[in-house]
Amino acid sequence: MCSSDLWTNRGIAQYRLKQFAASLASLDAATMFDANRADTLFHRGNALSELKRYDEALTALDASLTIKPDEPDTLVSRGVALAALARQDEALACYDQALRLKEDCVEALINRGTLLFGLKRFEEATRDYERALALDPDIPYIRGNLAVYKLLSCDWRTLENDRARIAAGLLTGKPVILPFPNLALSRSMMDQLQCARIWAKRELPSVPALWRGERYRHGRIRIAYLSADFHGHATAFLMAGVFEHHDKARFETIAISYGPDDGSPMRERLRKSFDWFLDVRGQSDFEIATLLRQMETDIVIDLKGYTEDSRPGILAHRPAPVQAQYLGYPGSMGSDHVDYIVADKIVAPEHQSIYFDEKIAYLPDSYQCNDSKRRVADATPTRASVGLPETGFVFCSFNNSYKIMPDIFAAWMRLLRKNEKAVLWLLQHDATAVENLRREAEAAGIDSGRLIFAPFMPNEEHLARMRLADLFLDTLPYNAHTTASDALWVGLPVLTIRGKTFAGRVCASLLHAADLPRSEEHTS
């Protein structure tokens, strides 16, 4: 076996162990012996993608395709790099080409489905996932993703069967669903914890801790926040005031931003609120963790958990003595890398502490912060301008479509049946979701014209139009979170049911903090 073979095989083995930097070093060594091996360049591109160096990954993958142009796996990897660079059309073209070459290419189907999901083309995403699942029923997480894609389209035909199969898979330790989507499907804290543990054990790297017990002696406590949402995002709308109100005499605050810079006023406001605002896009988890260790950070707070664009691998490197998660992910991360979750006694009552691998740090009243400077547009629109009838009661629920469950929707239809002049105001998601909800309304004996769909709009204008509603109806098992505080912020009453899980108790927490009558716990 030649040296190029040895280094390439070493790099592949290190990649499988999630040692991506070491894998890249080995593959670089392989190219010193043979710079024109398509397989070496392919694996090098994959390692670079894992290290978030997508432009370099694209160069390596293009070089591989120059040597071996009709390789489906390389085309899929190229699509992944392009998607990460927000070049979605080119990424789709790569997946399409891979499937023309190999119609049963499961990886191409999964990645194309995921990209279509991000583009809110849920029906197409569902078709790709169904094809992939038929080819390989044991693909990690695909069954759960498919179930959630159907929820996003409000397609409930297989919901109970999906729930049962996912719960059974989790019980046997199978990676059947990602932790965040499982919050929308599961009513069980134990299932949610098990799901997080399965993901953490399977996906997080097993690496030596960067912090090894050293004691820092700073004049101020150094606290860092990790997020992809330091821009015009719901998390920023809640957290901005927290960052500004840190006691700067006691705390040195650090923002670790690995999300987009949208150039918004919120981005600039956040930048000014920290002592250090570090844009680390393009850096690997290890590089970011190393930076936190070099800065002798005392406390790191992850604001993403397992939500979209999260980077839990950063905490897996243990860069700080104290590591916590807050706000973004309503549940346990199932990992010994996270010491604390910040909560309150409504969302995480003491008797449920067994369902958290973190210690619970309790805040009084509600765990959810909010920003006292949130602006509402000065002008409230007219009913006619947003498609509402001039008279009649307006029920609304501006939750995401995946939170709407058939039993809750059925209750909403009963309300409309008893209030003949009332309408239900919902957010407008993809066309399939609108069509399915209208069909469900007609099946319940309700004129589908009484469902009014509101397009997405800038936050200040959205808050202003919420004033037109009379009552906000919550969802279960996943409550409104930021959306509920939006409603309360503009004086819109909220009706909720206290669920069994963290995600299903957030509305109750907010109402408790507002000293409003509490709801009874949901028993089914």
Side-chain angles (χ1 to χ4, degrees), residues 307-351:
T307 57
E308 187 178 9
D309 299 322
S310 60
R311 301 276 294 271
I314 297 169
L315 293 191
H317 291 278
R318 176 57 71 172
V322 178
Q323 304 190 160
Q325 61 128 330
Y326 174 52
L327 196 63
Y329 181 74
S332 176
M333 291 181 67
S335 165
D336 58 9
H337 305 116
V338 186
D339 305 311
Y340 294 94
I341 180 171
V342 181
D344 62 57
K345 291 189 177 182
I346 300 291
V347 294
E350 291 178 346
H351 71 271

Side-chain angles (χ1 to χ4, degrees), residues 219-222 247-252:
R220 294 185 292 168
I221 296 170
R222 293 178 184 168
D247 183 349
K248 295 301 178 70
R250 297 178 59 203
F251 293 93
E252 185 175 356

Side-chain angles (χ1 to χ4, degrees), residues 430-477:
D430 79 315
T432 305
V434 171
E435 179 183 336
N436 285 336
L437 289 173
R438 290 196 186 282
R439 187 188 66 249
E440 292 289 342
E442 294 286 350
I446 300 298
D447 178 359
S448 62
R450 294 172 68 188
L451 272 57
I452 313 297
F453 291 92
F456 286 84
M457 60 173 45
N459 189 255
E460 293 178 7
E461 297 171 39
H462 171 63
L463 291 174
R465 73 178 171 184
M466 288 183 79
R467 294 169 171 153
L468 297 173
D470 296 299
L471 180 64
F472 184 98
L473 302 174
D474 198 16
T475 50
L476 204 71

Side-chain angles (χ1 to χ4, degrees), residues 385-495:
S385 69
V386 296
L388 293 172
E390 290 296 343
T391 60
F393 198 89
V394 177
F395 296 105
C396 85
S397 186
F398 286 146
N399 273 328
N400 204 305
S401 57
Y402 70 83
K403 296 184 182 182
I404 302 173
M405 295 295 166
D407 57 339
I408 295 295
F409 188 78
W412 294 349
M413 295 302 98
R414 290 194 295 271
L415 286 173
L416 293 186
R417 195 175 300 117
K418 291 183 178 180
N419 297 270
E420 294 182 358
K421 294 184 179 181
V423 296
L424 177 62
W425 199 16
L426 304 169
L427 273 184
Q428 181 175 316
H429 297 280
D430 79 315
T432 305
V434 171
E435 179 183 336
N436 285 336
L437 289 173
R438 290 196 186 282
R439 187 188 66 249
E440 292 289 342
E442 294 286 350
I446 300 298
D447 178 359
S448 62
R450 294 172 68 188
L451 272 57
I452 313 297
F453 291 92
F456 286 84
M457 60 173 45
N459 189 255
E460 293 178 7
E461 297 171 39
H462 171 63
L463 291 174
R465 73 178 171 184
M466 288 183 79
R467 294 169 171 153
L468 297 173
D470 296 299
L471 180 64
F472 184 98
L473 302 174
D474 198 16
T475 50
L476 204 71
Y478 201 127
N479 281 178
H481 291 190
T482 305
T483 308
S485 58
D486 285 348
L488 295 172
W489 191 252
V490 298
L492 174 60
V494 173
L495 178 64

Side-chain angles (χ1 to χ4, degrees), residues 12 19 70 84 87 96-97 118 161 181 198 230 237 239 269 305 318 344 380 424 442 506:
I12 294 169
Q19 299 172 7
D70 294 329
R87 293 162 62 177
D96 290 344
Q97 187 179 350
N161 183 56
I198 291 169
F230 291 123
F237 296 139
M239 286 290 297
R269 180 182 168 190
R318 176 57 71 172
D344 62 57
T380 300
L424 177 62
E442 294 286 350
V506 170

